[in-house]
Structures are given as C-alpha cells and as structure tokens.
Amino acid sequence: MYFIYNFITFLASQVVKILALFSPKMKLFVDGRKTVFSTLQSKINANDKTIWFHAASLGEYEQGLPVIEKIKEKFPFHKIVVTFFSPSGYEVRKNNTVADVTVYLPLDTKSNTKQFLDLVHPELVLFIKYEYWPNYLKELKKRNIKTYLISGILRENQAFFKWYGGFYRNALKTFDYFFVQNENSKKLLQSIGFNNVKISGDTRFDRVVSILERDNSLDFIEEFKDNKTTIVIGSSWPKDEELLVKYINNSSENVKFIIAPHNIKQEQILELKNSIKKKTILFSEKDEMLKRVQHDKLADFNVFIIDTIGILTKIYSYADIAYVGGGFGNPGIHNILEPATFGIPMVIGPNYSHFAEATALVNMDGCISIQNQIQLDETFNLLLQNEDERFEKGHICSTFVQMNKGATSIIMNHILNETLN
C-alpha cells in the first residue's frame, strides 16, 4: 500500500508543478517549498531542542495558537517550528512572532520526511485538528518521537472508519495521544481500537477568550461609529453581499455598516462600493480622501469597507450586531467565535451544519440563520429595534464561549506531566 501511496504522491508533485504555471496559488505552493530545507538548515542547529507544530492552513494555526504560546512559555529554551500545508495559511502567518521557524511542510515523500526530521529533530510533535500524512507519521513512530493530535475532529465518512481504511488506521498508531473536540470523535476512535483519547474541547475558545485581554481599540472605527448602532459584516462573499447591499441601501441613516469582505481584490471591492447607494468610504482611501475633502469626517459616512486584513477581530468589538459571511457557499460560514466572545448577536447564512459551534449557538438562539432576503431584512430589523433582544442573544454568545474554554489547560497538563520532563 505504501508503494501505491508513494507513487500517487510522486504523480501529485509533478501535477502541481504544471498547475503552478497557470495558478498563482499553486505557484506559491510550489515555489514556497523550494527553500524549506535551506531555511531549516540555517535556523536550526544540531544541538537545538525543538518542538514542531503542523497546521494545514490559517484556521488550524489560529486554533493551535493558544497551545503554541503556552509551549513557548513553558519551554523557553526550545525552538518552535511551525509548518503549513496551504499557501493561505503560510502567506498570512509566515512572519508570526510565536515561532522561531515557519515554513511550508514538504510534500509527504519518504525522502522529504527523513530530510525534514533530520533537520528539525523534534522532541515533541503536535498536529492541529487534522491532516494525517502517512510517511511523516511512519517516520515519527520509527524515531519514537512523541506525537499528539490536538483539537482533533473525526467524522464517520473518513477513511479510518471504512472497511478499506486499514492503511490510514495504521498511520494513526503513531499518535501517543488524541485530544479531541467532542464525544463523537472519541467514540469513533474507540470503535477502531484507540483508547488513548481524551475530550479536551476546542482550543479556539481559549484563543478568542484571550482576545478580551488585549487592546481592541481602533480610533478610526470609533470615529466612524459615532455612537450609532453598528452592524459589522465579516468575511462576506458576493452571495452574502447581494442580500446585504439591498438591505443597506434601504436602511435608516441612524445605522452604520462596516464591511470586511473575504476577498479584498481591488476590482471586487470597487464593485461592492459602487453597488452601495449610501455614503461609503474604503479603508485604503480614508486618509487621502479626508485630507482632500476637509469638510468630511469619518462620522459623516454610513458604510466603511475594510479592504485590508488583520483588523476584523478588533472591529468586532465595536459591533452591535454581526453578520458572519460564507453561509451561502461551501463549506460554509467563517469564524463566528470572535464576534461571539464580545457578546454580539450574530446572523449567518444557511450553510453552517459542519460547524459545531454555529450549530450550538443557532440551537441556543444566540445566532440566527437566514436563507433569503426577507429573512435577513426581518432579522436585522428585529435586532435593530429591540435592544433587549440584542442583549439577550449577545449574552448567550459570550456565555457559550466562556463555558467552553479550558482545552489548552487539559492539553498542557498532559504534556507537562508525561513528556519533556
């Protein structure tokens, strides 16, 4: 089976090189891996102690960040190595300050895994949520390196739980311990003979709780808000914006809107701006525009489009209502925990069933799922007109986050008690 897997991996490595000629994302995927080994060689010495974290993409990195930060705090003399599989994770967080070395994960070939582990020589390895690379796992087990899955989530449709999944089930034997998010994941692992598993919950709750301890102030958002009721629209896609723009164009002058689209390509941002009839300003043009039109202030605008990245979390702290985008596409909505931690009532699209926290908050009535224009209009109007309704739903959201924190402590207690002593 390893022969077949390695042959398929080899073919895939050749295919992505061809795709890189036509796709900017694939070009990043290929080119970014060309310097991995030289980077590792220059930044890690043979006598360095290291701990390796692997994240598939940005979401998994953010999920594992509380554990990475705690590991760095408890083991200050170890170098932290973070790898990403996807360009959408690496390109955004390649300059993070928590890791000593951040690189792409080389493709899962036998030669790559041996060279990578020779250079990194980790004492401890933590895979975040998922991604199970058979050659890496086989080599880690061969070298007897402690390996954990944290914030794991397992589903019945995965190959591990099928009659033909023996190859992948065997790869799971590498993990010394599984820290999973829910009871279903624990039962699935136990059903195939793994009892070294504990329900720790989701470390993302710890990350978003820590946001409350930071300075979330943004002077320009405060000036724009001008003490008016504000709806923050985060990570919106065109299908979300079709409904939202219609609502914005017919809304009261006493309501402010901040839109942070998922895609900030200039042509799409300008298309969005031109579709809005209200007085609208872009983040990228605010300084120049306010200098040029001196009688205008940010407070004079109704809609603020954030065509940059990295500040949405802070912007949520100014929201009275949040709309989280992605729910009209696949796989579904974006991160709802960030607005939830600020105690904000949320509105989302219909596709949220793959996200446990969204399902829970919809069932608890802290989050409202809408399917069409009429439902969106009615929901926004209800929340805008009824402050008590906003407060109650927001309280449900913040309480939900607070009640689910603590996964990092469970994981760290195990590591501190049983490893790296």
Side-chain angles (χ1 to χ4, degrees):
M1 188 63 186
Y2 269 101
F3 173 79
I4 296 172
Y5 174 80
N6 288 326
F7 180 69
I8 293 172
T9 302
F10 170 76
L11 287 180
S13 69
Q14 302 309 304
V15 170
V16 295
K17 289 177 183 178
I18 298 170
L19 294 176
L21 299 174
F22 309 98
S23 166
K25 186 173 182 179
M26 281 298 173
K27 182 173 173 55
L28 289 171
F29 183 95
V30 172
D31 290 349
R33 286 171 163 78
K34 292 178 179 178
T35 59
V36 169
F37 294 128
S38 60
T39 299
L40 293 173
Q41 198 164 21
S42 66
K43 293 189 175 184
I44 301 176
N45 298 320
N47 58 346
D48 285 334
K49 294 182 177 182
T50 67
I51 299 172
W52 169 33
F53 288 84
H54 174 65
S57 192
L58 181 60
E60 290 71 41
Y61 169 82
E62 298 291 346
Q63 193 159 36
L65 189 56
V67 179
I68 301 174
E69 290 173 336
K70 279 295 181 184
I71 286 285
K72 190 177 181 70
E73 175 189 323
K74 296 295 183 181
F75 303 99
F77 301 111
H78 284 70
K79 284 188 174 179
I80 305 299
V81 179
V82 170
T83 58
F84 287 95
F85 182 76
S86 166
S88 58
Y90 175 79
E91 296 300 327
V92 175
R93 288 291 180 261
K94 60 185 176 183
N95 296 317
N96 72 83
T97 56
V98 70
D100 298 283
V101 187
T102 303
V103 292
Y104 278 101
L105 181 72
L107 291 178
D108 188 35
T109 66
K110 291 175 68 175
S111 60
N112 280 349
T113 58
K114 289 178 181 179
Q115 188 174 358
F116 178 86
L117 290 174
D118 283 345
L119 291 169
V120 177
H121 50 82
E123 292 186 18
L124 178 67
V125 177
L126 298 100
F127 280 59
I128 304 166
K129 192 175 180 178
Y130 51 63
E131 283 214 330
Y132 312 92
W133 297 110
N135 281 317
Y136 277 103
L137 293 173
K138 182 180 181 181
E139 191 65 23
L140 285 167
K141 187 171 182 63
K142 182 179 176 181
R143 299 184 186 208
N144 200 30
I145 298 171
K146 287 279 187 181
T147 305
Y148 294 107
L149 179 70
I150 62 172
S151 284
I153 191 94
L154 286 300
R155 296 189 175 91
E156 290 180 17
N157 61 356
Q158 290 174 299
F160 312 117
F161 312 109
K162 305 295 184 180
W163 63 267
Y164 53 81
F167 173 69
Y168 289 98
R169 284 194 293 274
N170 192 54
L172 291 181
K173 293 177 182 178
T174 299
F175 290 100
D176 291 86
Y177 219 84
F178 300 88
F179 294 96
V180 297
Q181 294 185 31
N182 53 39
E183 181 69 29
N184 186 58
S185 294
K186 181 180 179 180
K187 287 181 177 178
L188 284 170
L189 284 169
Q190 289 177 331
S191 73
I192 55 173
F194 292 96
N195 292 306
N196 51 334
V197 54
K198 181 180 292 185
I199 301 172
S200 61
D202 190 341
T203 50
R204 286 182 305 160
F205 288 96
D206 298 321
R207 189 188 73 80
V208 296
V209 166
S210 71
I211 290 170
L212 298 175
E213 300 168 2
R214 304 172 189 171
D215 179 7
N216 293 299
S217 59
L218 294 168
D219 292 342
F220 59 91
I221 295 294
E222 194 161 335
E223 182 184 343
F224 168 78
K225 182 178 172 74
D226 194 30
N227 294 317
K228 291 186 177 178
T229 305
T230 301
I231 297 176
V232 173
I233 297 162
S235 304
S236 59
W237 287 74
K239 287 185 179 180
D240 301 296
E241 292 159 6
E242 286 178 21
L243 307 183
L244 292 161
V245 167
K246 289 178 183 177
Y247 185 84
I248 291 169
N249 287 338
N250 294 299
S251 65
S252 165
E253 294 295 318
N254 293 320
V255 181
K256 296 289 188 94
F257 297 88
I258 301 173
I259 309 174
H262 175 73
N263 192 325
I264 57 171
K265 289 182 179 177
Q266 186 177 20
E267 61 271 21
Q268 290 186 235
I269 291 293
L270 291 177
E271 184 178 344
L272 173 61
K273 182 183 179 183
N274 292 335
S275 69
I276 298 172
K277 297 175 183 177
K278 300 284 186 177
K279 196 171 183 181
T280 303
I281 189 169
L282 304 181
F283 174 86
S284 61
E285 67 184 11
K286 65 179 176 65
D287 293 334
E288 186 61 34
M289 180 180 284
L290 294 176
K291 285 179 186 176
R292 190 172 66 248
V293 189
Q294 295 190 8
H295 61 277
D296 271 355
K297 300 178 296 184
L298 277 174
D300 296 328
F301 292 86
N302 305 103
V303 181
F304 199 166
I305 299 177
I306 309 299
D307 54 341
T308 188
I309 60 173
I311 60 174
L312 176 57
T313 301
K314 291 187 175 185
I315 291 173
Y316 276 134
S317 71
Y318 291 90
D320 296 287
I321 302 165
Y323 180 96
V324 180
F328 282 92
N330 290 309
I333 60 162
H334 289 273
N335 188 352
I336 68 168
L337 292 181
E338 289 180 352
T341 199
F342 289 112
I344 302 162
M346 289 176 293
V347 182
I348 59 175
N351 296 343
Y352 63 87
S353 61
H354 289 298
F355 303 88
E357 67 279 6
T359 301
L361 280 172
V362 169
N363 291 338
M364 294 167 68
D365 207 26
C367 181
I368 301 173
S369 172
I370 56 95
Q371 299 192 36
N372 52 49
Q373 187 74 55
I374 293 173
Q375 290 181 2
L376 181 136
D377 293 352
E378 290 177 346
T379 299
F380 275 167
N381 289 338
L382 169 67
L383 293 173
L384 288 169
Q385 294 163 12
N386 193 326
E387 189 174 355
D388 290 339
E389 189 80 10
R390 293 204 305 270
F391 177 81
E392 182 181 345
K393 292 184 184 302
H395 181 67
I396 290 170
C397 291
S398 60
T399 301
F400 174 74
V401 172
Q402 292 292 331
M403 292 294 289
N404 282 281
K405 66 182 181 180
T408 302
S409 295
I410 293 171
I411 294 166
M412 287 303 301
N413 287 339
H414 184 97
I415 291 172
L416 292 172
N417 289 334
E418 299 193 20
T419 65
L420 300 179
N421 291 324

